[in-house]
Amino acid sequence: MANLDDLYREIILDHYRSPRNRGELAPPAHRTEGFNPLCGDEIVIYVQIEDGVLTDIKLTGHGCSISQSSSSLMSTAVKGKPLEHVRATIATFKDLMMTRETKLGEEATDPSGEANLRRLGELAALAGVVKFPVRIKCATLAWNTLTQALDEVDA
Amino acid sequence: MTRFDPKLVRGDIPLMNRVINGRPITYLDSGASSLTPRSVIEAMDRYYQFHHANVHRGVYQTANEATAIYEGARESAAHFLNAPGGSEEIVFTKNATESFNLLARSWGAAFLQPGDVVLVSEMEHHANIVPWFQLRESHGVEVRFIPVTDDYRLDLSNIEESMHGVKLVSVTAMSNVLGTINPIRELANLAHSHGALLAVDGAQSVAHLATDLVALDADFMIFSAHKMLGPTGLGVFWTRQEIMAAMPPFLGGGGMIKDVSTDGFTPASGPSKFEAGTPPIAQAAGFAAAVRYLEGLGMENIAAHEKDLTGDALTRLALEFDGRVRVIGPPDTEARGGVISLDVQGVHPHDVAQVLDQFGVCVRPGHHCAKPLMKRFGLAATARASFGPYSLVSDTDALLEALTHAVEMFG
C-alpha cells in the first residue's frame, strides 16, 4: 500500500508552505504559462537567460502541494545553472517520473533510478509521487512548462 | 410512505463491501457517479444470459424479448418523470452530455437564428455551456449567463431585462458544485412568457428529488442513468412530442430511418429518429431496474433522508473546524441538495482528497466541469462530498475524521 508519508515528505510540505523564487520578472525575461486542465492548476514561469546561463527564474500560479513544491524545488535546482545543466536536470527528473511510472514495484532494484536519486539531491523527495500515478502530472507541470519556456527562447 | 432503512439500501450495493487502505469504503462521490444496486447489475446480467439480441429487427423470440426490455425502459423513464406524452417522448443517448449536444445540434441548429439568445447560468456544468458556444461559432447565436449571487443562488433580480432575444433558457435543476436547487417552475413560466423554451439539466436532481414534468412545465429534460443508481453508457433526453416531431435527426445511420434509397433517406418518427445504431440495450435494462429501485424507496423519502444527512454534515462542518473548512454553497437545506463543496483553508483540494483516500473516503477534487462558477467565486477547485440514498451519518463521521487529519497534516 502506498503510504501518505511517501508522498508528503517534510521537504515537500516545507516548499509548499514557503515556496522559493515566487514572483515575476520584468521583460526581457521570458514568460510562459502552463496548465493542468484536469485539475485547474496553473503556473507561470519567468526565465532570464544570459550567455547560456539561466541567471534567474520566478514562478507564480496556484496548485496542489505537489505541483507547488515541485515548481519551488525545480527553481532552486536550475537557478544560476548553465542551460545544458538545466536541460539535463529536466531530463533526469522526467526520467525518474517515467521510470517509476512504468516500473512500479521494481524501483528499489532499478540502478538507473538510484543514480537518478543521487543526482537529483533534494528533488529526490518527489520520488514518492510515482506511487500515486494520478499525481505525476502535478509534479511534472512545472518541468514541462520550463521545457516549453526554453524551447520558446530557443535556448 | 414510510422512510426506508438506509442500512438495507447499503446492503443492496455490492461495492459497499470494498475495503480501501484497510478501512471500509466511505463513498461520498455520488454526484460524479452513484453506486449500483445488485438488482440493477442482475437486470443487465439477465439480458446477456437469457435475452441477448439486437432490438427492433429480429422476428425470433429473444429479439422480441430484447425489444420489449429496451422499449420497457422507455416506459419506465416516462413513468418516473411523469412525462405528459408518455414513452414516445423519451430518447436514449450515450450520456447527459450527448443529450445536450442533441439539443444544440438538432433543435438549436434548426430553430435558432443568428442573434437569438440561449440563456444559461453561471452555475452550469460544461455540458450545458460548451455545446452552446459551439452553436455560437456555427450559427451565430448569443450565449448569455444568469449571474449567481454571493449566497450561491441564481440572481433573478434583473431577469426580465435579460430576456431580450432569448429563445431558450437552459438551467440546471441542482448545481453539481453548490448543491443549489433552482426554481424550475418559475423559470418555465419566465421562459414561456417571453416565447422561449426551457431546458433542464436534471443530472444532479433526478436521483435526489422527485421529478414531475407536468408540474415543472419544462420543455426539455436531460440526465444520465449512472447518477441515479443505473449503469454508465445511457443518457436520457426528454421533450414534448410536438417539439420532437419538428426536430431534425442528429446522428445518422441504421435504426433512425424510415426509408433509404440511392437518392436519400427519410428519417424515422418518434424517439427512433435520434437513436442511430445499436442502442445501449443492456444499459436500458439496468436503467429500468434503477428506476424501479428508486421508486421502491420513494423519491420523497430519498429527498428527506439526504436532507437530514446534509443538515447534519453542514452543522458539524461549521462546528468542528472553527472556520477552517468553508462550505461553498447555501447553508439552508431547503435550498440545496446533498452536494457539499469544501474549501479547506491552506490545503489544496487535491491534497484534501489524497489524504481522505488514505482513510477510504472518496470525494472529488477539482473544478467539477464548472469553471465559470469556480472563477465566479475565485476558486481553482473544491473538494466535493455528495450523498446518495445509501449514505449514512457514519459516512459523515469518517469524512470529518479524515478532514481533521488533512487539516493537521498541512498545519
Side-chain angles (χ1 to χ4, degrees):
Chain A
M1 183 180 89
N3 194 299
L4 271 192
D5 295 336
D6 294 334
L7 185 64
Y8 296 121
R9 303 280 184 81
E10 195 47 50
I11 195 166
I12 289 177
L13 294 176
D14 174 56
H15 276 259
Y16 177 51
R17 294 187 187 109
S18 313
R20 321 296 199 263
N21 299 305
R22 237 4 229 189
E24 300 178 6
L25 291 174
H30 185 74
R31 178 183 187 279
T32 300
E33 294 178 357
F35 297 94
N36 184 340
L38 285 176
C39 58
D41 285 3
E42 295 177 14
I43 185 171
V44 184
I45 296 185
Y46 299 83
V47 289
Q48 181 85 44
I49 293 164
E50 289 163 45
D51 300 329
V53 175
L54 181 64
T55 53
D56 204 357
I57 179 167
K58 293 275 191 197
L59 308 149
T60 64
H62 56 81
C64 65
S65 61
I66 303 304
S67 77
Q68 294 300 289
S69 62
S70 182
S71 61
S72 175
L73 283 159
M74 178 187 81
S75 71
T76 59
V78 301
K79 185 174 170 177
K81 297 291 197 300
L83 289 173
E84 61 268 29
H85 180 99
V86 174
R87 291 268 193 193
T89 304
I90 293 172
T92 307
F93 181 79
K94 292 199 67 177
D95 187 39
L96 174 74
M97 291 290 131
M98 302 277 272
T99 304
R100 302 262 164 149
E101 188 180 13
T102 53
K103 295 183 186 172
L104 262 186
E106 300 173 27
E107 68 262 36
T109 58
D110 178 5
S112 66
E114 290 307 306
N116 276 342
L117 291 188
R118 276 196 298 280
R119 260 181 288 154
L120 285 165
E122 261 198 334
L123 287 169
L126 287 159
V129 171
V130 290
K131 292 180 183 168
F132 298 81
V134 297
R135 305 303 292 276
I136 291 172
K137 280 199 293 292
C138 309
T140 52
L141 174 64
W143 300 82
N144 291 334
T145 309
L146 179 59
T147 302
Q148 188 189 332
L150 297 182
D151 291 345
E152 282 168 358
V153 296
D154 198 22
Chain B
M1 201 187 275
T2 52
R3 290 270 285 269
F4 56 88
D5 181 351
K7 288 204 183 74
L8 294 180
V9 178
R10 179 167 297 220
D12 290 336
I13 309 286
L15 199 136
M16 284 296 187
N17 297 322
R18 280 294 303 272
V19 173
I20 307 286
N21 292 331
R23 289 172 177 245
I25 189 168
T26 297
Y27 190 78
L28 290 170
D29 200 17
S30 297
S33 201
S34 53
L35 298 183
T36 322
R38 200 170 283 108
S39 63
V40 171
I41 299 166
E42 286 171 354
M44 291 187 284
D45 268 0
R46 273 199 304 280
Y47 165 70
Y48 280 121
Q49 294 196 36
F50 303 109
H51 312 291
H52 189 164
N54 213 331
V55 292
H56 298 148
R57 281 177 273 277
V59 294
Y60 50 92
Q61 179 153 344
T62 51
N64 290 336
E65 290 164 1
T67 301
I69 288 170
Y70 185 68
E71 292 302 322
R74 230 189 278 282
E75 300 278 350
S76 299
H79 181 265
F80 182 67
L81 301 168
N82 192 26
S87 62
E88 284 296 292
E89 297 183 336
I90 304 290
V91 176
F92 288 137
T93 63
K94 184 174 68 183
N95 49 37
T97 296
E98 186 179 294
S99 294
F100 268 111
N101 280 275
L102 164 61
L103 174 60
R105 302 287 176 103
S106 169
W107 181 84
F111 294 106
L112 296 178
Q113 307 299 321
D116 283 350
V117 178
V118 176
L119 182 66
V120 299
S121 88
E122 265 182 341
M123 67 169 79
E124 297 312 311
H125 188 282
H126 294 165
N128 189 22
I129 297 176
V130 177
W132 304 118
F133 281 146
Q134 289 177 295
L135 201 64
R136 182 172 74 180
E137 285 168 26
S138 63
H139 287 70
V141 303
E142 182 188 332
V143 185
R144 198 176 286 162
F145 286 81
I146 304 172
V148 175
T149 65
D150 289 344
D151 55 356
Y152 311 109
R153 320 276 168 104
L154 289 184
D155 184 353
L156 300 175
S157 56
N158 290 312
I159 193 70
E160 287 292 334
E161 289 91 289
S162 303
M163 289 303 293
H164 178 70
V166 172
K167 292 294 191 299
L168 179 74
V169 179
S170 190
V171 169
T172 184
M174 188 196 293
S175 164
N176 71 319
V177 178
L178 308 171
T180 307
I181 296 170
N182 288 322
I184 295 305
R185 176 64 202 228
E186 190 185 324
L187 290 166
N189 293 346
L190 173 82
H192 295 158
S193 71
H194 289 83
L197 298 182
L198 176 73
V200 179
D201 178 356
Q204 289 296 329
S205 68
V206 287
H208 308 284
L209 303 170
T211 303
D212 181 340
L213 287 172
V214 173
L216 291 175
D217 201 26
D219 302 293
F220 303 98
M221 169 63 80
I222 283 167
F223 57 95
S224 60
H226 76 96
K227 284 185 169 66
M228 51 179 290
L229 313 190
T232 60
L234 185 134
V236 173
F237 174 91
W238 169 86
T239 190
R240 303 171 187 285
Q241 284 193 26
E242 62 271 23
I243 298 174
M244 192 185 291
M247 286 169 60
F250 169 42
L251 302 171
M256 52 70 73
I257 51 94
K258 186 190 287 173
D259 188 29
V260 183
S261 70
T262 52
D263 294 327
F265 78 101
T266 313
S269 58
S272 301
K273 180 167 55 172
F274 305 103
E275 295 179 356
T278 296
I281 307 166
Q283 287 88 339
F287 168 73
V291 167
R292 276 195 295 280
Y293 193 90
L294 290 172
E295 289 181 336
L297 298 178
M299 291 310 303
E300 310 287 348
N301 292 329
I302 293 171
H305 171 61
E306 294 180 9
K307 185 187 278 189
D308 287 352
L309 285 173
T310 304
D312 171 69
L314 293 177
T315 304
R316 291 164 66 189
L317 283 163
L319 281 177
E320 293 187 21
F321 292 99
D322 198 26
R324 276 208 64 181
V325 177
R326 192 163 61 105
V327 173
I328 308 299
D332 172 10
T333 55
E334 293 301 317
R336 58 134 61 240
V339 170
I340 304 179
S341 268
L342 303 173
D343 178 35
V344 183
Q345 192 186 356
V347 194
H348 190 279
H350 271 210
D351 295 316
V352 172
Q354 191 81 62
V355 176
L356 265 50
D357 172 62
Q358 200 70 14
F359 294 85
V361 178
C362 311
V363 300
R364 177 144 303 234
H367 52 61
H368 315 297
C369 295
K371 289 194 89 172
L373 183 69
M374 291 286 138
K375 193 172 178 205
R376 161 68 180 84
F377 289 103
L379 297 162
T382 69
R384 183 188 71 184
S386 48
F387 293 121
Y390 36 69
S391 300
L392 304 173
V393 170
S394 59
D395 293 323
T396 305
D397 298 341
L399 170 69
L400 295 182
E401 183 199 350
L403 269 177
T404 304
H405 283 273
V407 168
E408 279 170 5
M409 180 167 225
F410 288 88

